[in-house]
Each structure stands twice: as structure tokens, then as C-alpha cells.
Amino acid sequence: AQSVSQHNHHVILSEAASLELGCNYSYGGTVNLFWYVQYPGQHLQLLLKYFSGDPLVKGIKGFEAEFIKSKFSFNLRKPSVQWSDTAEYFCAVRFNKFYFGSGTKLNVKP
Amino acid sequence: GAVVSQHPSRVICKSGTSVKIECRSLDFQATTMFWYRQFPKKSLMLMATSNEGSKATYEQGVEKDKFLINHASLTLSTLTVTSAHPEDSSFYICSARGVQGSDSYEQYFGPGTRLTVT
């Protein structure tokens, strides 16, 4: 069955540290890939998406993600996190429908 | 960006009663809306896909007679939890998909509705 895995359930970083959140999916066909963020008390918002083309995707707020087809991965990165990045991050993959990962809670210490 | 609202944001109901949750796309027309359920510490689980003017498509394991979905207009979909039980307590989130084009697979999410059944 198709699935989306986020390996890190809870990540704690200090400000200015670099971030990488893992996302892997299990499906060999064409996919669309997304990262969503949910700030405390707010709804899910799109950070970035990949449909085709350059596998390195730039999103809002300095986030980027790289699609590596051979590894079935779409990891989210940010070179230097800020306290305001504290949120829960969800990876989503669209095969015939959307599949979401279980989310990663990021706590950034000021 | 596109805005999707949900009402109510929180609802507490007694076991055996029915609860209706509304999902509205405020500034765009959504031919397709999705209903998700989010369990604690777990991912969003797609319950059903709602297409304007037609019957909803339910995911495997979701009881369509229990979770009634109506998508009567391009800006409104409703989810009615019928004869609610405590195990139906959860966080329900809707999303709406925009018109065809480059964003045709992008979903805009509502803020969610916390349902507690006592």
C-alpha cells in the first residue's frame, strides 16, 4: 500500500541551526509532492510543492526541498531556523489522492 | 492566498446526536472538497472526496451512512456526523481544491473542527 513516512516525530533546535526533515514515500509512479506547515493554533499552509522540473524546490520563508526520485524522498531543509519556525510540518504526496505523513513537530529554542 | 473556513471550530455533543460541520471556500470556487480526520500524533486521514453536484467518494473503511457529505454549491460542503459516539471524537479538517491549471492539485485547508462526543 502507498504510504508516506516522516522519520522525525519531534525535533528540537536552537535558533540559527540548520534543519532537515525527512520524507519518504512508497510509490513508483508519477507523484506530486508537498510540504505543509501548521503553526500553533492555525490551519495547514502550503510551504512548497513539486510537480515537475528542477528537483530542488524553493518555498516560502527560506525553506527548500529536494526531490530525489531514486530514493523516493522529498526532504525539507532550511539553512538557519528561527524561533518563528516552531510548528508542525507535514509531508504530503499525491498519487491518485493525497497521502500525508504523520507530521514532525519542530521546536526552535530562542 | 485562497481562504477556506470551517464552522464550528469546536463542538461538543451528546452521544447519539448528529453534528453538522460546514466548509466554505471564501474567495474561490471549489469543484472538489476533501474531508480529513486527524488523530492525535497521526497523519491526516482522507475520509472522502466531495464533488459539487454529485455524490461523495468515500475512502475504504469510512461509513458513508455515518458521515454524510453534501456539496451543494461551489463554495460549500458539509459533513454531518450522524448518531455520534465517543469514538467519533476527533479533529476534522476540510480542504478545497482550486480550478484546473497549474494549481489544480493544490489544496487549501480549513482551520479544522474539534468534535467531542460525550
Side-chain angles (χ1 to χ4, degrees), chain B residues 38-106:
Chain B
Q38 187 175 24
F39 295 93
K41 298 183 180 180
K42 294 197 173 180
S43 65
L44 281 73
M45 181 193 78
L46 179 65
M47 298 174 65
T49 301
S50 168
N51 293 297
E52 186 265 337
S54 63
K55 290 183 179 180
T57 303
Y58 289 82
E59 295 301 308
Q60 194 172 9
V62 178
E63 298 175 60
K64 56 184 171 184
D65 293 332
K66 181 166 187 61
F67 298 99
L68 300 178
I69 291 172
N70 183 278
H71 192 161
S73 79
L74 286 171
T75 58
L76 173 65
S77 176
T78 61
L79 167 68
T80 302
V81 183
T82 62
S83 186
H85 290 283
E87 57 265 31
D88 299 324
S89 299
S90 194
F91 196 57
Y92 293 88
I93 302 173
C94 76
S95 71
R97 194 166 79 186
V99 297
Q100 294 298 310
S102 61
D103 288 342
S104 60
Y105 296 122
E106 183 167 339

Side-chain angles (χ1 to χ4, degrees), chain A residues 32 34 36 43-44 46 49 51 90 94 97-98 100-102, chain B residues 36 38 42-44 46 59 102-103 105-107 109-111:
Chain A
N32 303 129
F34 305 81
Y36 288 88
H43 58 277
L44 282 163
L46 181 68
K49 61 188 177 186
F51 284 0
F90 293 89
R94 182 193 158 273
K97 64 179 185 181
F98 270 83
F100 281 83
S102 55
Chain B
Y36 293 87
Q38 187 175 24
K42 294 197 173 180
S43 65
L44 281 73
L46 179 65
E59 295 301 308
S102 61
D103 288 342
Y105 296 122
E106 183 167 339
Q107 295 184 54
F109 286 85

